[in-house]
């Protein structure tokens, strides 16, 4: 399940992350036609901490996984924005950070980046990936790199991010994280292999990924990662990179532009068709699905569905990021408006005063993003090249090249 994080932005963004009630009231999050809309305020002048936005964090954490995200639209390509779909471990950077989709301002190609502690560098064998390796040392304090830059790739196509992505109807991202590597694929709409959204996704048949991170002890540097969707503004990366084309087009500062031009951010939204997560040889997921109702007069019902019984040596996981109307009442420690001060970042496994749990259903008209039901995994040796993948699913599944100037990690510093 997911929570709405309402704490201060860890990257010093000009953003006010709101809770579920305020997100719905402001039209920042909703469902329509089985899709999930996650947007920002594009009507009002920003005040206080910044422009209203949403940051969703999964309460379940993952160590090694196959993540498949089908998007119809993303927020990127707009001056002042810094959207990301990513994963992060506890006690950043010791648990690692995996940036699957990320960019700032009018960037055209997706940036895929890892952030770690010391002693994690990746190899540059161009036969294993189709994107461009930009930096090879994943250590956030690496010598010869900007602070928190990490190791990263730039995607080979402008259809992977922002304006190019959206004009093509979106596409599908997949990230495979094993003990020996982390790979990220991207397919523009209509070009993904059939099994990606079919009954048995198998990364061994997907060809070269855009990025392939190898050569690091991934089990040492990555564990217990949450999944995060967010859209922030300016801050440590988008703000520091403002001096280029965005400053030429709009002048002033990044914060001033974001504050005073709400209409510029009408298209700064995620539109999610589906999000699927698979784990190798695990046990049934204990976290409930996040199911949200379409607009309805019925009161929401808080529920914890029973885990689907998996096949042997498999994991049953259901993740549905969506919205309920009306929202459930907040817990006693959660005010109905954004808190005045943000406490220390929450543990991924516990609730916090700044986390609002989203676990609701409201019959009869429940609208959810199609989600994973049950999976079982084959065995094999992960990595590229390889003969088989631990994420060869046997059962149901639906599922400007930019120099990274001062590009920071987003984890809980």
């Amino acid at each position: 399940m997911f929570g709405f994080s309402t704490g201060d932005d860890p990257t010093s963004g000009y953003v006010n992350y709101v809770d579920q009630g305020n997100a719905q009231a402001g039209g920042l999050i909703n469902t329509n036609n089985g899709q999930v809309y996650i947007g920002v305020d594009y009507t009002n002048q920003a005040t206080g901490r910044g422009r209203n936005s949403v940051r969703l964090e999964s309460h379940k954490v993952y160590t090694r996984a196959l993540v498949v995200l089908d998007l119809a639209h993303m927020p990127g390509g707009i001056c002042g924005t810094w959207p990301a779909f990513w994963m992060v471990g506890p006690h950043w950077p010791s648990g690692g950070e995996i940036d699957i989709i990320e960019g700032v301002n009018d960037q055209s190609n997706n940036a895929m980046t890892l952030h770690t502690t010391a002693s994690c560098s990746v190899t540059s064998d161009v036969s294993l990936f189709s994107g461009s390796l930009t930096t090879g040392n994943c250590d956030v304090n690496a010598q010869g790199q900007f602070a928190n830059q990490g190791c990263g790739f730039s995607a080979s196509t402008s259809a992977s991010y922002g304006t190019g992505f959206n004009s093509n109807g979106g596409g599908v991202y997949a990230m495979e994280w094993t003990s020996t590597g982390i790979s990220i694929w991207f397919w523009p709409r209509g070009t993904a292999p059939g099994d990606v959204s079919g009954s048995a996704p198998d990364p061994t048949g997907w060809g070269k990924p855009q990025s392939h991170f190898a050569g690091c002890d991934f089990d040492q540097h990555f564990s217990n990662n949450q999944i995060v969707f967010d859209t922030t503004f300016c801050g440590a990366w988008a703000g520091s990179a403002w001096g280029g084309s965005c400053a030429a087009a709009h002048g002033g500062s990044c914060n001033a532009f974001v504050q005073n031009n709400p209409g510029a951010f009408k298209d700064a939204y995620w539109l999610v068709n589906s999000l699927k997560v698979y784990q190798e040889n695990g046990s049934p997921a204990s976290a409930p699905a996040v199911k949200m109702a379409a607009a309805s007069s019925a009161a929401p019902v808080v529920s914890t569905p029973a885990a689907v019984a998996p096949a042997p040596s498999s994991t049953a996981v259901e993740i549905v990021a969506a919205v309920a109307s009306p929202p459930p009442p907040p817990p006693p420690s959660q005010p109905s408006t954004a808190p005045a001060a943000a406490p220390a970042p929450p543990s991924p496994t516990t609730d916090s005063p700044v986390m609002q749990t989203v676990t609701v259903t409201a019959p009869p008209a429940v609208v959810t993003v199609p989600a994973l039901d049950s999976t079982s995994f084959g065995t094999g040796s992960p990595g590229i090249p390889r003969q088989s993948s631990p994420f060869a699913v046997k059962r149901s599944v639906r599922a400007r090249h930019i120099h990274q100037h001062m590009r920071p990690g987003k984890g809980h510093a």
Side-chain angles (χ1 to χ4, degrees):
M1 60 184 172
F2 284 84
F4 284 71
S5 174
T6 58
D8 287 340
D9 182 47
T11 61
S12 304
Y14 184 64
V15 64
N16 180 46
Y17 290 125
V18 300
D19 61 20
Q20 184 190 355
N22 285 312
Q24 287 183 261
L28 275 60
I29 188 161
N30 60 64
T31 62
N32 187 30
N33 298 323
Q35 296 173 305
V36 181
Y37 171 94
I38 310 168
V40 305
D41 174 24
Y42 59 85
T43 303
N44 304 296
Q45 184 180 48
T47 60
R49 294 194 300 179
R51 183 156 300 284
N52 285 358
S53 183
V54 172
R55 176 170 169 140
L56 293 177
E57 300 179 354
S58 68
H59 284 296
K60 182 172 175 58
V61 297
Y62 302 91
T63 298
R64 296 182 299 277
L66 174 65
V67 177
V68 180
L69 176 66
D70 187 327
L71 282 176
H73 190 278
M74 70 169 65
I78 304 170
C79 287
T81 58
W82 180 358
F85 172 68
W86 53 297
M87 299 179 71
V88 63
H91 313 298
W92 185 92
S94 62
E97 176 183 334
I98 306 170
D99 299 325
I100 301 170
I101 301 173
E102 186 178 27
V104 297
N105 298 328
D106 55 358
Q107 179 176 323
S108 61
N109 293 34
N110 184 43
M112 300 153 284
T113 313
L114 305 184
H115 301 270
T116 69
T117 52
S119 303
C120 180
S121 295
V122 297
T123 58
S124 57
D125 185 346
V126 296
S127 69
L128 303 182
F129 51 83
S130 58
S132 300
L133 181 66
T134 55
T135 51
N137 195 330
C138 309
D139 179 7
V140 298
N141 296 310
Q143 295 293 317
Q145 296 181 185
F146 296 116
N148 298 340
Q149 190 169 7
C151 55
F153 286 81
S154 177
S156 62
T157 171
S158 61
S160 62
Y161 184 80
T163 302
F165 181 91
N166 297 330
S167 65
N168 196 48
V172 180
Y173 272 90
M175 186 280 296
E176 182 188 36
W177 164 15
T178 72
S179 293
T180 59
I182 294 175
S183 299
I184 299 173
W185 288 264
F186 166 69
W187 301 278
R189 179 65 59 208
T191 66
D195 68 299
V196 173
S197 58
S199 61
D202 181 0
T204 61
W206 294 350
K208 288 184 184 181
Q210 286 287 328
S211 61
H212 177 63
F213 300 90
C216 172
D217 186 339
F218 292 94
D219 285 342
Q220 175 185 347
H221 290 280
F222 293 87
S223 62
N224 297 325
N225 276 211
Q226 293 174 277
I227 297 173
V228 184
F229 283 95
D230 72 65
T231 303
T232 187
F233 303 95
C234 304
W237 188 14
S240 67
W242 180 257
S245 57
C246 287
H250 305 292
S253 69
C254 183
N255 281 20
F257 177 74
V258 172
Q259 178 181 26
N260 298 308
N261 296 275
F265 305 103
K266 184 174 182 178
D267 289 333
Y269 64 89
W270 302 93
L271 193 60
V272 182
N273 291 328
S274 62
L275 168 61
K276 311 299 173 49
V277 178
Y278 311 94
Q279 288 187 283
E280 55 179 306
N281 301 324
S283 57
S286 58
V290 182
K291 293 186 177 181
M292 319 295 185
S296 169
S297 60
V301 178
V302 178
S303 64
T304 303
V308 178
S313 299
S314 68
T315 302
V317 182
E318 185 173 358
I319 294 182
V320 185
V323 184
S325 178
S333 59
Q334 168 70 56
S336 59
T337 58
S347 165
T349 57
T350 60
D351 288 335
S352 155
V354 298
M355 292 297 295
Q356 182 176 3
T357 300
V358 184
T359 312
V360 295
T361 60
V366 174
V367 179
T368 66
V369 175
L372 170 64
D373 179 11
S374 177
T375 65
S376 63
F377 303 93
T379 60
S381 176
I384 297 178
R386 59 187 181 271
Q387 299 300 314
S388 61
S389 167
F391 304 112
V393 179
K394 307 296 185 183
R395 286 194 57 196
S396 155
V397 187
R398 265 200 60 175
R400 185 153 59 97
H401 184 170
I402 185 169
H403 182 67
Q404 297 180 320
H405 176 65
M406 293 302 291
R407 181 260 181 272
K410 303 178 300 306
H412 304 312

